[in-house]
C-alpha cells in the first residue's frame, strides 16, 4: 500500500526541482556555457543561433562549429541541459548532426558531407563548476558520409557507455574511460575506375583517455602551444575482431579476410615521452586472387608486438628510448611456399622475428627551435648509448641471434661507437645452399659469401652449421671480428 508518509516524502522530493526554477535555470545555463567554453582551447569557431533559458532547462539552437578557414563545419540543431527530477542535470542533443569538410586537395576530392546519428543517448551531469562529470550511454551511434562519388565511410558504435571529467583552468583537461560492445567500420572507394571496399568489426572495445586543453591554440604552430610535460594519451583493448577487403581492378578481383583475437594499444605522451605500443594475438588471414593466376593463400600469426618510446625536449640530460618489434609464429600456407619453392627444398617452419633495442638520447634543441631546412646539416638529436637486447630471426631452418651494447662518443665528428656485438648463426650455410639450388642466390655469389664468412665468423659449439662472431668497435675507430682487425 502507498501510505501517507510515502506520499508526502515523494511529493516533497518531486517538488524540489520545480520549486527552485531560478536555481535550475542558472545552473543549466552555466553548464552549457562551460561545455562549449572548452572550445576556446581548440581552433574551432562557435556560432549559436539563439538561446532558450526556461525554468527547468537551457537550450541552445542552430549551433555551428567551424574551422577558421571554413573548410570544415558541424551543424547541431540543438543542445539542451535539463534539471532532473531527483537532482542533477542531463544533457541531450539532436539525434542527427550534419557536417562538411573539404580535403586539402579540392581537385582530387569533392567536399565530404557527413551525418552523426544517435539512438538511446543519455548524458548525466554531475560534479561542480570547473570539474564537471559526464556519465553517458547510448544504444547506437553512427558516423557516415553522404553523396560522395569517390568514397563512402561509415562507422557504427553499439552498446556504449563512458565516464569523463572535464576540468577547466590553466591545466584543464578531459579524462575518462569508455566501453563499446561492438564497433563496425565500412569503407568504399572508387579511384580511376578501380573499386575497393572493406568492413572491419571490433568486439568489446574498451579504453581510457586523457586530453589536455590549451588556451589560444594555433593549429599552424602546434609545437609552440603544446606543453609536452602534460600527459596526452589514448589506451584501448579489444577481445576479438575481423576484417574483409575486396578490390576490383583490371587484373581481376582480390578478396582478403582476416580474424584476430584480443589486443591492447597505447599512443600518446606520458611523462614527456612519446609512446606507441600494441599487442594483438591469434591473427589469421586468407587471400583469394585466383583471377590473377594466384592460388588461395593463408597466413597466421600467434602474436605481434610493437613498443616505441621517445623522450621529447630533454636538452639538459639524456633519457631512455626504446624500439621493439616482434612477430611470433608466423605460418604461411603451402600454396604460398609453393610459389617460390615448389619442390619443398626449404623447411616450412614458422617464422619468428624479435627486434628489441634500448638506449639513451638527448636533444640538442627544443622541438620548437628546430628548423626543418637545417636538418641535413646538423641532426637535432644525439645517441649516447645503445643496447641490443635482441635482434633475432628464425626462418627456413636458419636462426640468427644478436646481442650487444655500444657507447657513443659525441665529442668528435662523426661520433665514435665503442662497444661489442655478439652474433650467433645456426643453419645459415645450409640455407645458403638451398637458396642457391632455388636460383635466388647465384652460385658465384654463394661461393664468395662462404669464403668471406671466415673473416667475420668462427665455428660455434652448436653443431656443424653453427657460426659465431664477436664484433668489437673502439673509440679510435678500429673494428675487430673475433679479435682480428677489420678496420
Amino acid at each position: 500500500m502507498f501510505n501517507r508518509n510515502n506520499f508526502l516524502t515523494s511529493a516533497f522530493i518531486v517538488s524540489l526541482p520545480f520549486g527552485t526554477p531560478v536555481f535550475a535555470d542558472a545552473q543549466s545555463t552555466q553548464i552549457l556555457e562551460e561545455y562549449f567554453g572548452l572550445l576556446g582551447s581548440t581552433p574551432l569557431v562557435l556560432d549559436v543561433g539563439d538561446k532558450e533559458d526556461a525554468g527547468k532547462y537551457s537550450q541552445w539552437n542552430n549551433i555551428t562549429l567551424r574551422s577558421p578557414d571554413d573548410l570544415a563545419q558541424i551543424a547541431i540543431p540543438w543542445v539542451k541541459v535539463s534539471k532532473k527530477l531527483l537532482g542533477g542535470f542531463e544533457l541531450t542533443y539532436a539525434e542527427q548532426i550534419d557536417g562538411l569538410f573539404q580535403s586539402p586537395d579540392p581537385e582530387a576530392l569533392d567536399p565530404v558531407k557527413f551525418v552523426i546519428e544517435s539512438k538511446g543517448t543519455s548524458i548525466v551531469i554531475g560534479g561542480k563548476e570547473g570539474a564537471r562529470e559526464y556519465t553517458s550511454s547510448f544504444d547506437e551511434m553512427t558516423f557516415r558520409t553522404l553523396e560522395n562519388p569517390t568514397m563512402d565511410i561509415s562507422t557504427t558504435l553499439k552498446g556504449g557507455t563512458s565516464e569523463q571529467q572535464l576540468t577547466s583552468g590553466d591545466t584543464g583537461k578531459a579524462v575518462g574511460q569508455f566501453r563499446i560492445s561492438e564497433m563496425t567500420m565500412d569503407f568504399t572507394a572508387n579511384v580511376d575506375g578501380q573499386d575497393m571496399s572493406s568492413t572491419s568489426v571490433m568486439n568489446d572495445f574498451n579504453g581510457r583517455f586523457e586530453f589536455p586543453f590549451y588556451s589560444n591554440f594555433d593549429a599552424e604552430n602546434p609545437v609552440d602551444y603544446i606543453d609536452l610535460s602534460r600527459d596526452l594519451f589514448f589506451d584501448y583493448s579489444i577481445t576479438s575482431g575481423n576484417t574483409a577487403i575486396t578490390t576490383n581492378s583490371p587484373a581481376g578481383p582480390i578478396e582478403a579476410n582476416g580474424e584476430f583475437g584480443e589486443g591492447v594499444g597505447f599512443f600518446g605522451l606520458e611523462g614527456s615521452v612519446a609512446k606507441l605500443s600494441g599487442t594483438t594475438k591469434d591473427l589469421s588471414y586468407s587471400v583469394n586472387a585466383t583471377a590473377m593466376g594466384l592460388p588461395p593463400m593463408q597466413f597466421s600469426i600467434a602474436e605481434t608486438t610493437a613498443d616505441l618510446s621517445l623522450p621529447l625536449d630533454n636538452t639538459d640530460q639524456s633519457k631512455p628510448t626504446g624500439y621493439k618489434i616482434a612477430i611470433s609464429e608466423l605460418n604461411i600456407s603451402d600454396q604460398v611456399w609453393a610459389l617460390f619453392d615448389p619442390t619443398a627444398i626449404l623447411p616450412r617452419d614458422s617464422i619468428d622475428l624479435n627486434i628489441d633495442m634500448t638506449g639513451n638520447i638527448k636533444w640538442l634543441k627544443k622541438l620548437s627551435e628546430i628548423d626543418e631546412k637545417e636538418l641535413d646539416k646538423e641532426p637535432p638529436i644525439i645517441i649516447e648509448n645503445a643496447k641490443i637486447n635482441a635482434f633475432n630471426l628464425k626462418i627456413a631452418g636458419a636462426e640468427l641471434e644478436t646481442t650487444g651494447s655500444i657507447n657513443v662518443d659525441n665529442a668528435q665528428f662523426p661520433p665514435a661507437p665503442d662497444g661489442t656485438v655478439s652474433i650467433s648463426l645456426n643453419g645459415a650455410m645450409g640455407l645458403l645452399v638451398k637458396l642457391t639450388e632455388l636460383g635466388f642466390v647465384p652460385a658465384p655469389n654463394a661461393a664468395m659469401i662462404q669464403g668471406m664468412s671466415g673473416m667475420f665468423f668462427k665455428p660455434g659449439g652448436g653443431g656443424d652449421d653453427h657460426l659465431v662472431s664477436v664484433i668489437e668497435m673502439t673509440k679510435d675507430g678500429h673494428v675487430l671480428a673475433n679479435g682480428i682487425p677489420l678496420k
Side-chain angles (χ1 to χ4, degrees):
M1 292 290 293
F2 194 89
N3 60 36
R4 180 175 179 274
N5 290 336
N6 288 336
F7 175 79
L8 291 176
T9 302
S10 300
F12 176 74
I13 293 174
V14 171
S15 67
L16 279 178
F18 296 98
T20 54
V22 176
F23 171 77
D25 174 22
Q27 286 287 295
S28 58
T29 301
Q30 179 180 343
I31 290 172
L32 265 178
E33 290 175 346
E34 289 178 21
Y35 190 78
F36 284 102
L38 295 172
L39 295 174
S41 63
T42 74
L44 293 176
V45 179
L46 170 68
D47 295 318
V48 181
D50 61 90
K51 302 178 180 180
E52 299 177 29
D53 291 323
K56 295 173 290 186
Y57 69 87
S58 290
Q59 178 172 317
W60 290 8
N61 301 309
N62 302 317
I63 303 164
T64 301
L65 303 176
R66 56 184 175 84
S67 61
D69 54 12
D70 289 329
L71 294 180
Q73 296 184 15
I74 298 176
I76 308 173
W78 58 268
V79 176
K80 179 193 290 186
V81 171
S82 307
K83 180 76 172 175
K84 299 185 68 179
L85 292 178
L86 299 180
F89 297 86
E90 182 177 21
L91 186 147
T92 54
Y93 53 87
E95 291 189 347
Q96 178 171 315
I97 297 172
D98 299 310
L100 171 74
F101 65 86
Q102 175 63 65
S103 72
D105 185 359
E107 296 182 0
L109 185 65
D110 293 334
V112 178
K113 298 178 181 179
F114 64 87
V115 297
I116 302 173
E117 301 164 313
S118 57
K119 298 178 182 178
T121 301
S122 172
I123 304 175
V124 178
I125 305 171
K128 58 183 180 180
E129 180 182 358
R132 296 294 183 192
E133 297 172 352
Y134 297 82
T135 301
S136 63
S137 62
F138 60 85
D139 296 331
E140 184 173 297
M141 186 173 294
T142 298
F143 168 94
R144 58 185 178 89
T145 57
L146 303 170
E147 305 170 6
N148 193 285
T150 304
M151 69 173 188
D152 286 310
I153 303 172
S154 176
T155 299
T156 299
L157 312 177
K158 294 182 179 180
T161 62
S162 70
E163 300 89 34
Q164 63 176 314
Q165 184 181 67
L166 303 183
T167 57
S168 56
D170 295 337
T171 58
K173 60 184 177 180
V175 180
Q177 57 187 354
F178 65 89
R179 293 167 296 280
I180 298 169
S181 61
E182 180 182 287
M183 180 168 70
T184 302
M185 296 167 287
D186 294 308
F187 175 79
T188 61
N190 186 313
V191 180
D192 298 329
Q194 299 188 40
D195 298 327
M196 193 275 281
S197 64
S198 69
T199 297
S200 298
V201 177
M202 289 192 288
N203 300 309
D204 297 323
F205 182 38
N206 304 320
R208 60 188 184 94
F209 57 86
E210 180 170 328
F211 298 108
F213 298 131
Y214 301 105
S215 59
N216 302 318
F217 181 81
D218 185 353
E220 295 183 359
N221 300 290
V223 176
D224 292 338
Y225 289 87
I226 294 178
D227 184 353
L228 297 175
S229 66
R230 299 179 64 186
D231 289 353
L232 183 161
F233 64 81
F234 181 81
D235 190 357
Y236 71 91
S237 68
I238 60 172
T239 59
S240 63
N242 59 76
T243 184
I245 302 173
T246 301
T247 302
N248 291 313
S249 68
I254 301 174
E255 296 180 357
N257 294 280
E259 296 183 355
F260 45 91
E262 64 182 38
V264 296
F266 178 98
F267 61 89
L269 283 170
E270 196 171 44
S272 299
V273 178
K275 296 181 179 181
L276 173 64
S277 64
T279 298
T280 305
K281 298 181 179 180
D282 301 326
L283 300 94
S284 63
Y285 294 92
S286 63
V287 180
N288 190 336
T290 54
M292 301 175 64
L294 297 173
M297 297 174 282
Q298 292 83 39
F299 308 85
S300 67
I301 302 175
E303 182 175 296
T304 63
T305 298
D307 193 350
L308 316 176
S309 62
L310 179 69
L312 300 175
D313 265 17
N314 53 306
T315 57
D316 53 343
Q317 62 179 344
S318 61
K319 290 186 177 181
T321 184
Y323 174 87
K324 179 178 176 64
I325 298 290
I327 300 174
S328 302
E329 297 182 30
L330 166 59
N331 287 290
I332 304 173
S333 64
D334 288 341
Q335 297 96 321
V336 180
W337 281 105
L339 291 174
F340 54 88
D341 181 20
T343 57
I345 293 176
L346 299 174
R348 299 182 177 183
D349 303 330
S350 61
I351 300 169
D352 292 331
L353 172 67
N354 184 15
I355 302 173
D356 184 359
M357 295 184 289
T358 55
N360 287 278
I361 64 171
K362 183 170 73 171
W363 291 86
L364 300 177
K365 297 179 179 179
K366 289 187 172 294
L367 294 181
S368 58
E369 300 172 352
I370 296 175
D371 185 351
E372 296 181 1
K373 298 178 182 179
E374 301 293 325
L375 290 179
D376 57 338
K377 299 179 181 179
E378 181 184 16
I381 195 170
I382 59 174
I383 302 173
E384 295 197 344
N385 56 67
K387 182 178 181 181
I388 304 174
N389 302 305
F391 196 108
N392 304 338
L393 174 64
K394 185 178 73 172
I395 183 171
E399 187 170 359
L400 164 70
E401 294 183 353
T402 308
T403 58
S405 60
I406 300 170
N407 291 316
V408 181
D409 183 3
N410 292 285
Q412 56 180 306
F413 188 84
D418 178 21
T420 301
V421 177
S422 299
I423 305 172
S424 172
L425 278 172
N426 257 309
M429 292 299 104
L431 177 59
L432 180 62
V433 171
K434 292 172 182 176
L435 292 176
T436 305
E437 290 181 39
L438 290 170
F440 290 113
V441 180
N445 292 1
M448 182 179 64
I449 293 172
Q450 287 178 322
M452 293 185 63
S453 66
M455 298 175 55
F456 299 93
F457 294 92
K458 64 181 182 180
D464 295 337
D465 194 0
H466 182 210
L467 299 175
V468 296
S469 182
V470 177
I471 307 297
E472 299 175 76
M473 292 161 281
T474 62
K475 289 183 179 180
D476 55 9
H478 292 297
V479 180
L480 300 89
N482 302 314
I484 301 175
L486 298 177
K487 178 182 176 182

